[in-house]
Amino acid sequence: MQLIVVSGRSGSGKTVALRALEDLGFYCVDNLPIELLPTLVHATSDRYESVAVSIDVRNLGTGAADLHDALEFLPDKIKPEILFIDATDDILIRRYGETRRMHPLSKGALTLADAIQSEGELLEPLAAMATWRIDSSGLNVHELITQVTERILGREENQLMLVFMSFGFKHGVPPTADTVFDARILPNPHWEPTLRPFSGKDDPVQHYLGNQELVTKFIYQVENFVGTWLPYFQRSNRSYLTIAIGCTGGQHRSVYIAEKLAESFANQHSSVRVKHRELDKKKNATA
């Protein structure tokens, strides 16, 4: 049986993650007292192949001792994996301001900011054991569901999911990026008036960048880097690797390069995806 413990600070997206796991076929339990985790596993191991349990400050018990006791009493063949979701303090405060909900630790004299910080300290033992960590600060609900799904499916299929992502530096570096390459040193189609309205997925821009020697050399060297180190990432028991390519606005150079890299590695790696952060945002805004 596969057992996933979903944890993280309140407001980070644990409920969304649990719903995503339920859609993947997991039997999900929210807010189960930590002491009952072994009982749940023993009771469901013959009925369900995949179980997910949410554990946070509401049901963690008195601390790390209760957590380790609960894990100690699990069947030997059950090795729990921990999905830990978090966000920055200011994002969590903003989310609580939008929902107007009470933080689980705010019932005493603690301010919301102090409660959020205290919660992080209480959950540190779980965070340190995490199999997967997701920062939901810059993610909407759909993006968070996608990240949870891709990480879990990558592990189930025993195949590292390789993601090439384009982005614009002026909008910030993606928090999910494992490795970042800066394409701002390359010729920029933005300064060509006829090319400016297009993106790196369009033929005019692809033709322009494809004829630039520096662009070709850049792609070749990134391919060489990823190809050299990909086997080592796979051996490290990872399920997900994001290679982010950034240019100024995330419209032309980074998009073209991410497309070319994904196309190249699709011929030798079975799980390859390409994402264009800024183009996807524009698409969602006009949908």
mmCIF file of all heavy atoms in Angstrom, residues 162-167 181 183 186 200-201 206 209 215 218-219 222-223 242-247 250-266 272-277 279:
data_model
loop_
_atom_site.group_PDB
_atom_site.id
_atom_site.type_symbol
_atom_site.label_atom_id
_atom_site.label_comp_id
_atom_site.label_asym_id
_atom_site.label_seq_id
_atom_site.Cartn_x
_atom_site.Cartn_y
_atom_site.Cartn_z
ATOM 1 N N LEU A 162 10.449 15.248 -16.523
ATOM 2 C CA LEU A 162 11.355 16.317 -16.928
ATOM 3 C C LEU A 162 10.527 17.458 -17.519
ATOM 4 O O LEU A 162 9.824 17.285 -18.513
ATOM 5 C CB LEU A 162 12.354 15.795 -17.953
ATOM 6 C CG LEU A 162 13.420 16.756 -18.474
ATOM 7 C CD1 LEU A 162 14.260 17.313 -17.325
ATOM 8 C CD2 LEU A 162 14.315 16.046 -19.492
ATOM 9 N N VAL A 163 10.607 18.634 -16.886
ATOM 10 C CA VAL A 163 9.809 19.787 -17.299
ATOM 11 C C VAL A 163 10.720 20.926 -17.749
ATOM 12 O O VAL A 163 11.644 21.316 -17.025
ATOM 13 C CB VAL A 163 8.907 20.289 -16.148
ATOM 14 C CG1 VAL A 163 8.094 21.499 -16.587
ATOM 15 C CG2 VAL A 163 7.989 19.181 -15.665
ATOM 16 N N PHE A 164 10.479 21.421 -18.949
ATOM 17 C CA PHE A 164 11.185 22.605 -19.445
ATOM 18 C C PHE A 164 10.208 23.779 -19.367
ATOM 19 O O PHE A 164 9.145 23.762 -19.995
ATOM 20 C CB PHE A 164 11.675 22.397 -20.873
ATOM 21 C CG PHE A 164 12.760 21.365 -20.984
ATOM 22 C CD1 PHE A 164 12.467 20.069 -21.386
ATOM 23 C CD2 PHE A 164 14.068 21.678 -20.652
ATOM 24 C CE1 PHE A 164 13.463 19.109 -21.471
ATOM 25 C CE2 PHE A 164 15.071 20.725 -20.737
ATOM 26 C CZ PHE A 164 14.772 19.437 -21.146
ATOM 27 N N MET A 165 10.566 24.785 -18.595
ATOM 28 C CA MET A 165 9.669 25.915 -18.349
ATOM 29 C C MET A 165 10.300 27.221 -18.827
ATOM 30 O O MET A 165 11.449 27.525 -18.508
ATOM 31 C CB MET A 165 9.343 26.025 -16.855
ATOM 32 C CG MET A 165 8.488 27.238 -16.509
ATOM 33 S SD MET A 165 8.285 27.488 -14.723
ATOM 34 C CE MET A 165 7.235 26.088 -14.331
ATOM 35 N N SER A 166 9.551 27.995 -19.594
ATOM 36 C CA SER A 166 9.990 29.337 -19.968
ATOM 37 C C SER A 166 9.370 30.347 -19.002
ATOM 38 O O SER A 166 8.281 30.131 -18.479
ATOM 39 C CB SER A 166 9.575 29.659 -21.406
ATOM 40 O OG SER A 166 8.164 29.809 -21.502
ATOM 41 N N PHE A 167 10.089 31.439 -18.762
ATOM 42 C CA PHE A 167 9.561 32.479 -17.868
ATOM 43 C C PHE A 167 10.250 33.797 -18.163
ATOM 44 O O PHE A 167 11.266 33.842 -18.873
ATOM 45 C CB PHE A 167 9.766 32.085 -16.392
ATOM 46 C CG PHE A 167 11.196 32.188 -15.928
ATOM 47 C CD1 PHE A 167 11.667 33.332 -15.279
ATOM 48 C CD2 PHE A 167 12.077 31.145 -16.133
ATOM 49 C CE1 PHE A 167 12.988 33.431 -14.857
ATOM 50 C CE2 PHE A 167 13.398 31.223 -15.709
ATOM 51 C CZ PHE A 167 13.860 32.374 -15.077
ATOM 52 N N PHE A 181 18.470 28.722 -16.350
ATOM 53 C CA PHE A 181 19.398 29.219 -17.363
ATOM 54 C C PHE A 181 18.907 30.584 -17.843
ATOM 55 O O PHE A 181 17.714 30.771 -18.097
ATOM 56 C CB PHE A 181 19.497 28.251 -18.539
ATOM 57 C CG PHE A 181 20.155 26.943 -18.193
ATOM 58 C CD1 PHE A 181 19.397 25.852 -17.827
ATOM 59 C CD2 PHE A 181 21.537 26.818 -18.219
ATOM 60 C CE1 PHE A 181 20.001 24.646 -17.490
ATOM 61 C CE2 PHE A 181 22.148 25.617 -17.892
ATOM 62 C CZ PHE A 181 21.383 24.525 -17.525
ATOM 63 N N ALA A 183 18.702 33.375 -20.565
ATOM 64 C CA ALA A 183 18.823 33.575 -22.012
ATOM 65 C C ALA A 183 18.799 35.051 -22.402
ATOM 66 O O ALA A 183 18.701 35.378 -23.586
ATOM 67 C CB ALA A 183 17.695 32.832 -22.731
ATOM 68 N N LEU A 186 21.075 36.605 -25.222
ATOM 69 C CA LEU A 186 20.885 36.244 -26.633
ATOM 70 C C LEU A 186 20.149 37.349 -27.393
ATOM 71 O O LEU A 186 19.461 38.189 -26.786
ATOM 72 C CB LEU A 186 20.090 34.940 -26.719
ATOM 73 C CG LEU A 186 20.716 33.740 -26.007
ATOM 74 C CD1 LEU A 186 19.795 32.526 -26.104
ATOM 75 C CD2 LEU A 186 22.097 33.415 -26.584
ATOM 76 N N GLY A 200 7.629 32.837 -29.081
ATOM 77 C CA GLY A 200 8.618 31.863 -29.502
ATOM 78 C C GLY A 200 8.026 30.593 -30.078
ATOM 79 O O GLY A 200 8.770 29.738 -30.572
ATOM 80 N N LYS A 201 6.713 30.468 -30.054
ATOM 81 C CA LYS A 201 6.058 29.304 -30.658
ATOM 82 C C LYS A 201 5.663 29.573 -32.105
ATOM 83 O O LYS A 201 5.217 28.659 -32.803
ATOM 84 C CB LYS A 201 4.812 28.923 -29.840
ATOM 85 C CG LYS A 201 5.129 28.523 -28.410
ATOM 86 C CD LYS A 201 3.868 28.187 -27.628
ATOM 87 C CE LYS A 201 3.236 26.899 -28.118
ATOM 88 N NZ LYS A 201 2.102 26.481 -27.269
ATOM 89 N N GLN A 206 10.670 31.703 -34.568
ATOM 90 C CA GLN A 206 11.478 30.484 -34.622
ATOM 91 C C GLN A 206 12.506 30.562 -35.752
ATOM 92 O O GLN A 206 13.658 30.140 -35.581
ATOM 93 C CB GLN A 206 10.575 29.264 -34.801
ATOM 94 C CG GLN A 206 9.717 28.967 -33.587
ATOM 95 C CD GLN A 206 8.948 27.667 -33.730
ATOM 96 O OE1 GLN A 206 8.945 27.042 -34.787
ATOM 97 N NE2 GLN A 206 8.274 27.268 -32.663
ATOM 98 N N LEU A 209 15.295 33.123 -34.551
ATOM 99 C CA LEU A 209 16.192 32.600 -33.520
ATOM 100 C C LEU A 209 16.972 31.386 -34.013
ATOM 101 O O LEU A 209 18.119 31.169 -33.617
ATOM 102 C CB LEU A 209 15.388 32.240 -32.262
ATOM 103 C CG LEU A 209 14.798 33.431 -31.501
ATOM 104 C CD1 LEU A 209 13.900 32.962 -30.369
ATOM 105 C CD2 LEU A 209 15.915 34.324 -30.953
ATOM 106 N N VAL A 215 22.222 31.465 -30.266
ATOM 107 C CA VAL A 215 21.060 30.719 -29.772
ATOM 108 C C VAL A 215 21.287 29.222 -29.948
ATOM 109 O O VAL A 215 21.023 28.417 -29.042
ATOM 110 C CB VAL A 215 19.774 31.165 -30.498
ATOM 111 C CG1 VAL A 215 18.587 30.303 -30.056
ATOM 112 C CG2 VAL A 215 19.493 32.636 -30.222
ATOM 113 N N PHE A 218 23.765 28.078 -27.381
ATOM 114 C CA PHE A 218 23.145 28.067 -26.056
ATOM 115 C C PHE A 218 22.342 26.777 -25.863
ATOM 116 O O PHE A 218 22.464 26.082 -24.842
ATOM 117 C CB PHE A 218 22.240 29.297 -25.911
ATOM 118 C CG PHE A 218 21.631 29.476 -24.550
ATOM 119 C CD1 PHE A 218 22.231 30.306 -23.609
ATOM 120 C CD2 PHE A 218 20.445 28.836 -24.201
ATOM 121 C CE1 PHE A 218 21.667 30.487 -22.354
ATOM 122 C CE2 PHE A 218 19.878 29.020 -22.949
ATOM 123 C CZ PHE A 218 20.485 29.840 -22.028
ATOM 124 N N ILE A 219 21.500 26.453 -26.841
ATOM 125 C CA ILE A 219 20.667 25.255 -26.753
ATOM 126 C C ILE A 219 21.532 24.003 -26.674
ATOM 127 O O ILE A 219 21.282 23.096 -25.864
ATOM 128 C CB ILE A 219 19.708 25.176 -27.957
ATOM 129 C CG1 ILE A 219 18.691 26.322 -27.899
ATOM 130 C CG2 ILE A 219 18.989 23.827 -27.998
ATOM 131 C CD1 ILE A 219 17.805 26.425 -29.120
ATOM 132 N N VAL A 222 23.038 23.688 -23.133
ATOM 133 C CA VAL A 222 22.042 23.301 -22.131
ATOM 134 C C VAL A 222 21.671 21.827 -22.316
ATOM 135 O O VAL A 222 21.534 21.075 -21.336
ATOM 136 C CB VAL A 222 20.792 24.196 -22.216
ATOM 137 C CG1 VAL A 222 19.703 23.680 -21.281
ATOM 138 C CG2 VAL A 222 21.134 25.637 -21.865
ATOM 139 N N GLU A 223 21.506 21.396 -23.562
ATOM 140 C CA GLU A 223 21.239 19.981 -23.836
ATOM 141 C C GLU A 223 22.338 19.100 -23.265
ATOM 142 O O GLU A 223 22.074 18.053 -22.661
ATOM 143 C CB GLU A 223 21.135 19.739 -25.345
ATOM 144 C CG GLU A 223 19.831 20.153 -25.972
ATOM 145 C CD GLU A 223 19.825 19.865 -27.468
ATOM 146 O OE1 GLU A 223 20.897 19.517 -28.024
ATOM 147 O OE2 GLU A 223 18.757 19.992 -28.087
ATOM 148 N N THR A 242 12.587 20.329 -12.851
ATOM 149 C CA THR A 242 12.189 21.476 -13.669
ATOM 150 C C THR A 242 13.408 22.274 -14.099
ATOM 151 O O THR A 242 14.149 22.799 -13.265
ATOM 152 C CB THR A 242 11.227 22.402 -12.899
ATOM 153 O OG1 THR A 242 10.040 21.670 -12.557
ATOM 154 C CG2 THR A 242 10.835 23.595 -13.747
ATOM 155 N N ILE A 243 13.609 22.352 -15.418
ATOM 156 C CA ILE A 243 14.670 23.166 -16.004
ATOM 157 C C ILE A 243 14.014 24.445 -16.513
ATOM 158 O O ILE A 243 13.207 24.414 -17.440
ATOM 159 C CB ILE A 243 15.362 22.438 -17.170
ATOM 160 C CG1 ILE A 243 15.841 21.057 -16.743
ATOM 161 C CG2 ILE A 243 16.510 23.277 -17.722
ATOM 162 C CD1 ILE A 243 16.909 21.052 -15.696
ATOM 163 N N ALA A 244 14.328 25.577 -15.889
ATOM 164 C CA ALA A 244 13.690 26.842 -16.248
ATOM 165 C C ALA A 244 14.613 27.670 -17.129
ATOM 166 O O ALA A 244 15.802 27.821 -16.841
ATOM 167 C CB ALA A 244 13.320 27.627 -14.994
ATOM 168 N N ILE A 245 14.061 28.200 -18.218
ATOM 169 C CA ILE A 245 14.786 29.063 -19.136
ATOM 170 C C ILE A 245 14.148 30.447 -19.061
ATOM 171 O O ILE A 245 12.953 30.595 -19.327
ATOM 172 C CB ILE A 245 14.706 28.552 -20.590
ATOM 173 C CG1 ILE A 245 15.008 27.055 -20.658
ATOM 174 C CG2 ILE A 245 15.643 29.358 -21.483
ATOM 175 C CD1 ILE A 245 16.395 26.672 -20.257
ATOM 176 N N GLY A 246 14.938 31.445 -18.707
ATOM 177 C CA GLY A 246 14.379 32.774 -18.545
ATOM 178 C C GLY A 246 14.928 33.779 -19.536
ATOM 179 O O GLY A 246 16.113 33.749 -19.883
ATOM 180 N N CYS A 247 14.065 34.660 -20.022
ATOM 181 C CA CYS A 247 14.499 35.840 -20.776
ATOM 182 C C CYS A 247 13.834 37.040 -20.099
ATOM 183 O O CYS A 247 13.310 36.906 -19.001
ATOM 184 C CB CYS A 247 14.166 35.724 -22.267
ATOM 185 S SG CYS A 247 12.420 35.540 -22.659
ATOM 186 N N GLY A 250 9.714 36.632 -21.095
ATOM 187 C CA GLY A 250 9.154 35.281 -21.175
ATOM 188 C C GLY A 250 8.260 35.058 -22.376
ATOM 189 O O GLY A 250 7.362 34.204 -22.323
ATOM 190 N N GLN A 251 8.511 35.803 -23.479
ATOM 191 C CA GLN A 251 7.649 35.699 -24.651
ATOM 192 C C GLN A 251 8.344 35.060 -25.865
ATOM 193 O O GLN A 251 7.701 34.329 -26.615
ATOM 194 C CB GLN A 251 7.160 37.095 -25.068
ATOM 195 C CG GLN A 251 6.444 37.862 -23.982
ATOM 196 C CD GLN A 251 5.142 37.201 -23.573
ATOM 197 O OE1 GLN A 251 4.387 36.717 -24.408
ATOM 198 N NE2 GLN A 251 4.874 37.182 -22.275
ATOM 199 N N HIS A 252 9.621 35.336 -26.031
ATOM 200 C CA HIS A 252 10.295 34.936 -27.273
ATOM 201 C C HIS A 252 11.406 33.917 -27.046
ATOM 202 O O HIS A 252 11.239 32.727 -27.308
ATOM 203 C CB HIS A 252 10.868 36.170 -27.982
ATOM 204 C CG HIS A 252 9.843 37.195 -28.341
ATOM 205 N ND1 HIS A 252 9.713 38.390 -27.666
ATOM 206 C CD2 HIS A 252 8.894 37.199 -29.306
ATOM 207 C CE1 HIS A 252 8.727 39.092 -28.199
ATOM 208 N NE2 HIS A 252 8.209 38.405 -29.199
ATOM 209 N N ARG A 253 12.574 34.381 -26.571
ATOM 210 C CA ARG A 253 13.758 33.524 -26.488
ATOM 211 C C ARG A 253 13.549 32.317 -25.588
ATOM 212 O O ARG A 253 13.838 31.178 -25.981
ATOM 213 C CB ARG A 253 14.954 34.350 -25.988
ATOM 214 C CG ARG A 253 15.390 35.426 -26.965
ATOM 215 C CD ARG A 253 16.324 36.442 -26.319
ATOM 216 N NE ARG A 253 15.625 37.271 -25.346
ATOM 217 C CZ ARG A 253 16.183 38.273 -24.664
ATOM 218 N NH1 ARG A 253 17.474 38.553 -24.870
ATOM 219 N NH2 ARG A 253 15.480 38.996 -23.828
ATOM 220 N N SER A 254 13.045 32.543 -24.380
ATOM 221 C CA SER A 254 12.883 31.429 -23.446
ATOM 222 C C SER A 254 11.848 30.422 -23.950
ATOM 223 O O SER A 254 12.006 29.215 -23.770
ATOM 224 C CB SER A 254 12.471 31.954 -22.063
ATOM 225 O OG SER A 254 11.241 32.645 -22.133
ATOM 226 N N VAL A 255 10.807 30.917 -24.589
ATOM 227 C CA VAL A 255 9.769 30.031 -25.131
ATOM 228 C C VAL A 255 10.349 29.155 -26.235
ATOM 229 O O VAL A 255 10.144 27.927 -26.257
ATOM 230 C CB VAL A 255 8.581 30.860 -25.664
ATOM 231 C CG1 VAL A 255 7.590 29.959 -26.403
ATOM 232 C CG2 VAL A 255 7.891 31.596 -24.514
ATOM 233 N N TYR A 256 11.068 29.773 -27.150
ATOM 234 C CA TYR A 256 11.681 29.031 -28.262
ATOM 235 C C TYR A 256 12.643 27.966 -27.743
ATOM 236 O O TYR A 256 12.609 26.805 -28.171
ATOM 237 C CB TYR A 256 12.416 30.007 -29.175
ATOM 238 C CG TYR A 256 13.237 29.336 -30.258
ATOM 239 C CD1 TYR A 256 12.635 28.820 -31.408
ATOM 240 C CD2 TYR A 256 14.622 29.224 -30.126
ATOM 241 C CE1 TYR A 256 13.405 28.208 -32.394
ATOM 242 C CE2 TYR A 256 15.387 28.621 -31.110
ATOM 243 C CZ TYR A 256 14.773 28.109 -32.241
ATOM 244 O OH TYR A 256 15.532 27.505 -33.219
ATOM 245 N N ILE A 257 13.496 28.337 -26.797
ATOM 246 C CA ILE A 257 14.500 27.405 -26.272
ATOM 247 C C ILE A 257 13.841 26.264 -25.512
ATOM 248 O O ILE A 257 14.225 25.095 -25.659
ATOM 249 C CB ILE A 257 15.501 28.160 -25.388
ATOM 250 C CG1 ILE A 257 16.318 29.134 -26.251
ATOM 251 C CG2 ILE A 257 16.432 27.194 -24.658
ATOM 252 C CD1 ILE A 257 17.143 30.119 -25.445
ATOM 253 N N ALA A 258 12.829 26.564 -24.681
ATOM 254 C CA ALA A 258 12.125 25.507 -23.947
ATOM 255 C C ALA A 258 11.476 24.520 -24.905
ATOM 256 O O ALA A 258 11.500 23.300 -24.689
ATOM 257 C CB ALA A 258 11.076 26.120 -23.015
ATOM 258 N N GLU A 259 10.894 25.031 -25.985
ATOM 259 C CA GLU A 259 10.273 24.158 -26.985
ATOM 260 C C GLU A 259 11.314 23.244 -27.630
ATOM 261 O O GLU A 259 11.089 22.040 -27.814
ATOM 262 C CB GLU A 259 9.581 24.999 -28.060
ATOM 263 C CG GLU A 259 8.307 25.685 -27.611
ATOM 264 C CD GLU A 259 7.124 24.719 -27.549
ATOM 265 O OE1 GLU A 259 7.173 23.678 -28.234
ATOM 266 O OE2 GLU A 259 6.165 25.015 -26.804
ATOM 267 N N LYS A 260 12.470 23.802 -27.999
ATOM 268 C CA LYS A 260 13.508 23.023 -28.659
ATOM 269 C C LYS A 260 14.092 21.968 -27.724
ATOM 270 O O LYS A 260 14.372 20.833 -28.136
ATOM 271 C CB LYS A 260 14.618 23.954 -29.169
ATOM 272 C CG LYS A 260 14.201 24.812 -30.353
ATOM 273 C CD LYS A 260 13.784 23.931 -31.533
ATOM 274 C CE LYS A 260 13.330 24.735 -32.720
ATOM 275 N NZ LYS A 260 12.872 23.880 -33.847
ATOM 276 N N LEU A 261 14.282 22.326 -26.469
ATOM 277 C CA LEU A 261 14.808 21.369 -25.503
ATOM 278 C C LEU A 261 13.827 20.229 -25.261
ATOM 279 O O LEU A 261 14.219 19.052 -25.210
ATOM 280 C CB LEU A 261 15.131 22.075 -24.184
ATOM 281 C CG LEU A 261 16.319 23.035 -24.211
ATOM 282 C CD1 LEU A 261 16.382 23.846 -22.920
ATOM 283 C CD2 LEU A 261 17.623 22.273 -24.412
ATOM 284 N N ALA A 262 12.549 20.564 -25.103
ATOM 285 C CA ALA A 262 11.538 19.525 -24.899
ATOM 286 C C ALA A 262 11.457 18.605 -26.107
ATOM 287 O O ALA A 262 11.337 17.377 -25.971
ATOM 288 C CB ALA A 262 10.179 20.176 -24.628
ATOM 289 N N GLU A 263 11.538 19.184 -27.280
ATOM 290 C CA GLU A 263 11.502 18.394 -28.516
ATOM 291 C C GLU A 263 12.693 17.440 -28.584
ATOM 292 O O GLU A 263 12.553 16.274 -28.972
ATOM 293 C CB GLU A 263 11.517 19.345 -29.707
ATOM 294 C CG GLU A 263 11.465 18.682 -31.058
ATOM 295 C CD GLU A 263 11.541 19.701 -32.184
ATOM 296 O OE1 GLU A 263 10.843 20.736 -32.092
ATOM 297 O OE2 GLU A 263 12.311 19.469 -33.142
ATOM 298 N N SER A 264 13.853 17.921 -28.183
ATOM 299 C CA SER A 264 15.064 17.104 -28.233
ATOM 300 C C SER A 264 15.000 15.949 -27.238
ATOM 301 O O SER A 264 15.291 14.795 -27.581
ATOM 302 C CB SER A 264 16.291 17.974 -27.941
ATOM 303 O OG SER A 264 17.458 17.195 -27.846
ATOM 304 N N PHE A 265 14.586 16.234 -25.998
ATOM 305 C CA PHE A 265 14.604 15.196 -24.968
ATOM 306 C C PHE A 265 13.412 14.246 -25.069
ATOM 307 O O PHE A 265 13.457 13.149 -24.518
ATOM 308 C CB PHE A 265 14.674 15.831 -23.579
ATOM 309 C CG PHE A 265 16.065 16.255 -23.200
ATOM 310 C CD1 PHE A 265 16.515 17.536 -23.482
ATOM 311 C CD2 PHE A 265 16.936 15.363 -22.602
ATOM 312 C CE1 PHE A 265 17.803 17.925 -23.159
ATOM 313 C CE2 PHE A 265 18.231 15.735 -22.276
ATOM 314 C CZ PHE A 265 18.675 17.019 -22.558
ATOM 315 N N ALA A 266 12.367 14.651 -25.760
ATOM 316 C CA ALA A 266 11.224 13.749 -25.952
ATOM 317 C C ALA A 266 11.632 12.504 -26.732
ATOM 318 O O ALA A 266 10.983 11.452 -26.629
ATOM 319 C CB ALA A 266 10.085 14.477 -26.661
ATOM 320 N N VAL A 272 8.338 13.928 -20.642
ATOM 321 C CA VAL A 272 8.813 15.288 -20.873
ATOM 322 C C VAL A 272 7.614 16.211 -21.043
ATOM 323 O O VAL A 272 6.675 15.883 -21.772
ATOM 324 C CB VAL A 272 9.707 15.377 -22.131
ATOM 325 C CG1 VAL A 272 10.107 16.826 -22.411
ATOM 326 C CG2 VAL A 272 10.952 14.513 -21.955
ATOM 327 N N ARG A 273 7.653 17.343 -20.374
ATOM 328 C CA ARG A 273 6.601 18.347 -20.537
ATOM 329 C C ARG A 273 7.234 19.715 -20.740
ATOM 330 O O ARG A 273 8.356 19.967 -20.286
ATOM 331 C CB ARG A 273 5.673 18.382 -19.315
ATOM 332 C CG ARG A 273 4.887 17.095 -19.119
ATOM 333 C CD ARG A 273 3.744 17.278 -18.172
ATOM 334 N NE ARG A 273 3.000 16.037 -17.979
ATOM 335 C CZ ARG A 273 1.871 15.934 -17.293
ATOM 336 N NH1 ARG A 273 1.364 17.013 -16.712
ATOM 337 N NH2 ARG A 273 1.259 14.787 -17.176
ATOM 338 N N VAL A 274 6.502 20.581 -21.414
ATOM 339 C CA VAL A 274 6.965 21.954 -21.603
ATOM 340 C C VAL A 274 5.891 22.904 -21.093
ATOM 341 O O VAL A 274 4.691 22.679 -21.319
ATOM 342 C CB VAL A 274 7.304 22.229 -23.092
ATOM 343 C CG1 VAL A 274 6.089 22.058 -23.975
ATOM 344 C CG2 VAL A 274 7.907 23.617 -23.261
ATOM 345 N N LYS A 275 6.320 23.938 -20.352
ATOM 346 C CA LYS A 275 5.394 24.924 -19.815
ATOM 347 C C LYS A 275 5.924 26.316 -20.135
ATOM 348 O O LYS A 275 7.131 26.549 -20.090
ATOM 349 C CB LYS A 275 5.254 24.771 -18.292
ATOM 350 C CG LYS A 275 4.605 23.472 -17.841
ATOM 351 C CD LYS A 275 4.465 23.442 -16.336
ATOM 352 C CE LYS A 275 3.778 22.173 -15.865
ATOM 353 N NZ LYS A 275 3.661 22.126 -14.383
ATOM 354 N N HIS A 276 5.001 27.212 -20.442
ATOM 355 C CA HIS A 276 5.361 28.601 -20.713
ATOM 356 C C HIS A 276 4.600 29.478 -19.725
ATOM 357 O O HIS A 276 3.420 29.790 -19.941
ATOM 358 C CB HIS A 276 5.022 28.969 -22.160
ATOM 359 C CG HIS A 276 5.683 28.073 -23.163
ATOM 360 N ND1 HIS A 276 7.048 27.959 -23.268
ATOM 361 C CD2 HIS A 276 5.159 27.222 -24.087
ATOM 362 C CE1 HIS A 276 7.342 27.098 -24.237
ATOM 363 N NE2 HIS A 276 6.226 26.637 -24.740
ATOM 364 N N ARG A 277 5.270 29.846 -18.634
ATOM 365 C CA ARG A 277 4.570 30.504 -17.528
ATOM 366 C C ARG A 277 3.869 31.777 -17.954
ATOM 367 O O ARG A 277 2.678 31.974 -17.653
ATOM 368 C CB ARG A 277 5.547 30.803 -16.387
ATOM 369 C CG ARG A 277 4.843 31.282 -15.121
ATOM 370 C CD ARG A 277 5.823 31.633 -14.035
ATOM 371 N NE ARG A 277 6.565 32.859 -14.329
ATOM 372 C CZ ARG A 277 7.421 33.433 -13.479
ATOM 373 N NH1 ARG A 277 7.648 32.885 -12.304
ATOM 374 N NH2 ARG A 277 8.047 34.552 -13.807
ATOM 375 N N LEU A 279 3.157 32.931 -21.077
ATOM 376 C CA LEU A 279 2.153 32.706 -22.126
ATOM 377 C C LEU A 279 0.900 32.074 -21.538
ATOM 378 O O LEU A 279 -0.220 32.409 -21.936
ATOM 379 C CB LEU A 279 2.720 31.815 -23.235
ATOM 380 C CG LEU A 279 3.867 32.383 -24.083
ATOM 381 C CD1 LEU A 279 4.180 31.428 -25.227
ATOM 382 C CD2 LEU A 279 3.535 33.769 -24.625
#
